[in-house]
Amino acid sequence: MKTKITLLLAALFIGLNIGFAQQDEECMTKLSIFHEYVKAKNYDAAYEPWMAVRNKCPQFNNAIYVDGEKILTDKIEKATGADKATYLNDLIKLWTERGVHFPSKTPKGEYGAKACQLMYDNREVLNKTNEELYACFDAVYQADKATFTNPQSLYTYFSLMVDLFDAGKKPAEDLFNKYDDIVEKVEEEVKNYSESLNTLIEKEEAGTALTNKESQYKAYYESYLAAYDQISAGIDEKMGTRANCDILIPLYQKNFEENKGNAVWLQRAAGKMSEKECTDDPLFFKLVNAYHDLSPSAKSAYYLGILKDKEGKSNEAITFYKQAISLETDNFKKANLNNKIALKLKAKGSYSQARTFFREALRLNPSNGRPHLSIAAMYAASANDCGDTNFNKRAVYWLAAREAQKAARVDSKLSGAAAQSVASYEAKAPSKADIFTCGCSGQVIKIGCWIGDSVTVPKI
C-alpha cells in the first residue's frame, strides 16, 4: 500500500511541478488522499485530511493551497450566516499562509486583490464598510501594483472611491487622481495584451495558420482585452458627470500655482480638461503651455494641437499633432495618438487626412479594429459625393461593409458592432435586382473623390 501511495505522490509532484519541503510520511499519505478526493470533487471528504496536512506541514506542498482554495470555496457556497463568514475568513487566511510559505507562487497584488474582492462580494456577511474595503484594495495596490491586474478588482477599487466621494468621505482631487491612476493602469494592461495579440494577428493576416497553442493564447488575450474594454466603459460610466467643467476648472485653478512645476499634475489636469471638453476655458491654455514648457512631450504637443484647432488654425494643429507622434517612442501609445487625431479630423469632415492617421494606427496596433469601423463610417458618409451614378454611389456601401468586416476579423470584441455595421451598409448597397438590371455582375467599380478605391459588384 505504501508503495502505491509513494508512486502516486511522485506522479502528483511531477504533475504539479513541486518539490518536497520536508519528508513526512503522514503528510505525504494524507496529501495523496485529499488530492484524490479533490480531483473527484468530493470536497467534504477532502476537508479533514487537508486540514491535517495544512496544520502540520504548511510548507510541504503548494497543493495544500491550490486544493485548499477549491475545498473552502465549496464550503462557502454551501454555508450560510456565521458558518459562511468563518469559511470566508479562512480562505483569506489560506491565501496569507500561501504567501508566507510559497511567496514566489503568490504574487501580492494578485492574491491581495482576490482577498479584497472576496470581502467586497461578501461585504454584508463579513460586515465590511466601504472605508474598510477601499483601504484593503488601496494597501494591496500600493504594495504591488504590477500584479494587481484583475479587471473586476480594478473596477471595484475605483467604484469604492466614487462611493466614498459621493458620501463626502473623499475629496474631488483624490477621486480625479485615482481615476487617472486606474485608467493609466488599465491602458498599461491593454498595451501588454495588445502587443502579444498583435504578433498573432500579423501572422494570420500574412496567411499563416496559428498553431493550437497560439490559438489558445489568442483566445486568452482577446478575453482579457474584452474584459478591460468592459471595465473601461464601466469606470467612465461610474465617474459620470462628477468630473465636469464646473468642478474641474475651480479645482485646477485653486491648485495651479502649487503644481505648476509638477509635470504629472499638469499633464493629468490638461488631459482631464481635454477629455471633458473644457478646452475653451483659458485655464486649459495655461495648463498646456506650462506643461509643454516644463516637459515637452508627445502629450503636450498633442494638447497644443488641440489649442490650435480651437483657434481655427488647422494646419498648425496638424503640425503639432505630427510632432506629438514623432515624440512618442512607444508604438502602442503612438497608435492611440494616431487614432485620437484621426477622430478629431473625422469629426471635422477631413476624411482623407483622418484615414491616413487611422491606417497608421492600424499599422501600429493591428488588433484594435475600431479604426476600421471609423474608416467604414467615413466611406458611408461620403456615398453621395463619391459616385457618378446612383448605382455607383450606393456601391460605396459595399466598400464600407468590406472595411467593417475587417474590424471583426482582427478584433473579436467588436464582432457584434461590426456585424451591425455590415448589415446596415449592405442594406443600403444595390440589391440583386439592381445588379440584374444594370447587367454589371462581377464588374469592378472605381470609387472617386477622396476615397480613391474600387469595389467589385457581387456576382448573381
Side-chain angles (χ1 to χ4, degrees):
M1 181 65 179
K2 288 183 179 179
T3 302
K4 289 183 179 178
I5 291 173
T6 302
L7 289 172
L8 177 62
L9 191 61
L12 169 65
F13 284 174
I14 292 171
L16 295 176
N17 195 26
I18 304 168
F20 292 108
Q22 64 188 65
Q23 296 294 333
D24 186 292
E25 188 172 351
E26 181 185 354
C27 288
M28 185 186 304
T29 302
K30 289 188 175 181
L31 187 146
S32 175
I33 292 169
F34 79 66
H35 183 70
E36 287 303 307
Y37 278 133
V38 168
K39 285 202 299 184
K41 297 186 178 181
N42 188 351
Y43 300 115
D44 288 336
Y47 186 79
E48 186 178 340
W50 167 69
M51 281 295 287
V53 179
R54 176 189 180 189
N55 291 328
K56 185 177 182 182
C57 314
Q59 292 180 305
F60 189 66
N61 191 297
N62 195 37
I64 296 167
Y65 305 98
V66 175
D67 287 352
E69 183 173 336
K70 297 173 185 176
I71 293 167
L72 288 176
T73 298
D74 180 70
K75 292 286 187 185
I76 290 165
E77 289 174 354
K78 294 175 179 176
T80 58
D83 287 343
K84 185 170 186 175
T86 298
Y87 289 126
L88 285 164
N89 285 320
D90 199 29
L91 179 53
I92 293 167
K93 180 183 176 185
L94 181 74
W95 286 331
T96 301
E97 292 169 356
R98 174 177 170 146
V100 170
H101 299 298
F102 293 90
S104 65
K105 298 178 182 294
T106 315
K108 291 180 180 179
E110 178 185 347
Y111 280 84
K114 284 175 69 170
C116 297
Q117 188 68 48
L118 186 70
M119 284 190 276
Y120 177 83
D121 292 340
N122 296 276
R123 54 195 178 280
E124 292 180 2
V125 176
L126 296 174
N127 196 28
K128 295 292 183 181
T129 65
N130 283 350
E131 291 96 325
E132 290 173 322
L133 292 166
Y134 179 81
C136 179
F137 279 107
D138 194 50
V140 173
Y141 190 77
Q142 301 303 331
D144 187 10
K145 180 178 177 180
T147 66
F148 190 130
T149 60
N150 183 274
Q152 182 185 12
S153 294
L154 285 168
Y155 174 78
T156 303
Y157 180 28
F158 177 71
S159 179
L160 285 164
M161 168 58 87
V162 174
D163 292 342
L164 291 174
F165 169 79
D166 288 347
K169 296 176 180 178
K170 290 288 184 182
E173 191 167 13
D174 284 0
L175 172 64
F176 301 151
N177 284 338
K178 187 51 60 182
Y179 173 86
D180 289 332
D181 196 22
I182 297 298
V183 166
E184 287 171 8
K185 174 61 178 174
V186 170
E187 287 177 351
E188 178 185 329
E189 295 305 317
V190 170
K191 172 181 179 291
N192 292 338
Y193 283 108
S194 294
E195 287 177 344
S196 297
L197 181 57
N198 285 340
T199 302
L200 301 179
I201 293 293
E202 287 167 353
K203 183 177 179 179
E204 282 188 315
E205 290 294 292
T208 304
L210 300 182
T211 65
N212 288 337
K213 188 173 183 180
E214 286 173 332
S215 295
Q216 290 173 354
Y217 274 121
K218 183 187 176 189
Y220 172 75
Y221 300 146
E222 288 175 338
S223 68
Y224 261 89
L225 285 170
Y228 283 120
D229 193 59
Q230 186 175 4
I231 69 150
S232 292
I235 287 169
D236 286 338
E237 185 178 346
K238 184 77 177 181
M239 187 66 151
T241 59
R242 293 170 183 83
N244 58 43
C245 298
D246 291 338
I247 295 174
L248 291 173
I249 293 170
L251 175 67
Y252 293 146
Q253 281 178 334
K254 183 182 76 171
N255 295 328
F256 178 78
E257 284 302 317
E258 66 179 278
N259 287 288
K260 63 185 180 182
N262 183 338
V264 173
W265 185 90
L266 291 168
Q267 182 267 310
R268 286 184 167 184
K272 183 64 76 262
M273 289 189 70
S274 171
E275 177 191 330
K276 296 300 178 180
E277 299 293 334
C278 307
T279 52
D280 289 332
D281 193 273
L283 177 62
F284 183 69
F285 180 85
K286 282 176 63 178
L287 289 167
V288 170
N289 281 283
Y291 177 42
H292 193 68
D293 288 343
L294 185 65
S295 179
S297 65
K299 287 184 177 179
S300 66
Y302 173 71
Y303 297 142
L304 286 171
I306 293 175
L307 286 175
K308 293 302 178 183
D309 256 339
K310 288 290 180 182
E311 295 171 7
K313 300 176 180 177
S314 298
N315 290 336
E316 291 183 43
I318 290 293
T319 299
F320 276 113
Y321 290 149
K322 288 181 177 179
Q323 183 184 17
I325 291 168
S326 68
L327 288 170
E328 183 55 71
T329 57
D330 183 282
N331 279 348
F332 181 80
K333 293 178 180 178
K334 189 174 287 194
N336 285 343
L337 260 178
N338 273 280
N339 191 59
K340 284 181 180 179
I341 294 164
L343 288 171
K344 287 188 173 296
L345 292 167
K346 175 176 174 281
K348 290 168 58 178
S350 301
Y351 290 161
S352 182
Q353 283 184 309
R355 182 175 60 182
T356 299
F357 285 99
F358 279 132
R359 284 179 171 171
E360 182 64 7
L362 287 166
R363 186 186 70 81
L364 293 166
N365 185 22
S367 62
N368 178 14
R370 286 190 174 87
H372 284 303
L373 292 181
S374 295
I375 294 171
M378 293 192 302
Y379 287 162
S382 302
N384 284 332
D385 301 320
C386 295
D388 54 357
T389 66
N390 184 56
F391 186 94
N392 287 357
K393 288 177 181 180
R394 292 170 61 198
V396 175
Y397 290 108
W398 282 322
L399 193 63
R402 188 177 75 189
E403 192 71 31
Q405 286 169 339
K406 294 177 184 177
R409 191 171 69 239
V410 301
D411 193 341
S412 62
K413 67 180 179 291
L414 295 179
S415 57
Q420 288 181 347
S421 295
V422 170
S424 174
Y425 298 145
E426 288 183 341
K428 296 173 183 177
S431 65
K432 289 183 179 180
D434 296 325
I435 297 171
F436 179 79
T437 300
C438 78
C440 54
S441 174
Q443 292 183 11
V444 175
I445 296 175
K446 292 184 178 180
I447 309 297
C449 70
W450 71 271
I451 294 179
D453 205 338
S454 60
V455 64
T456 301
V457 179
K459 292 182 179 181
I460 58 171

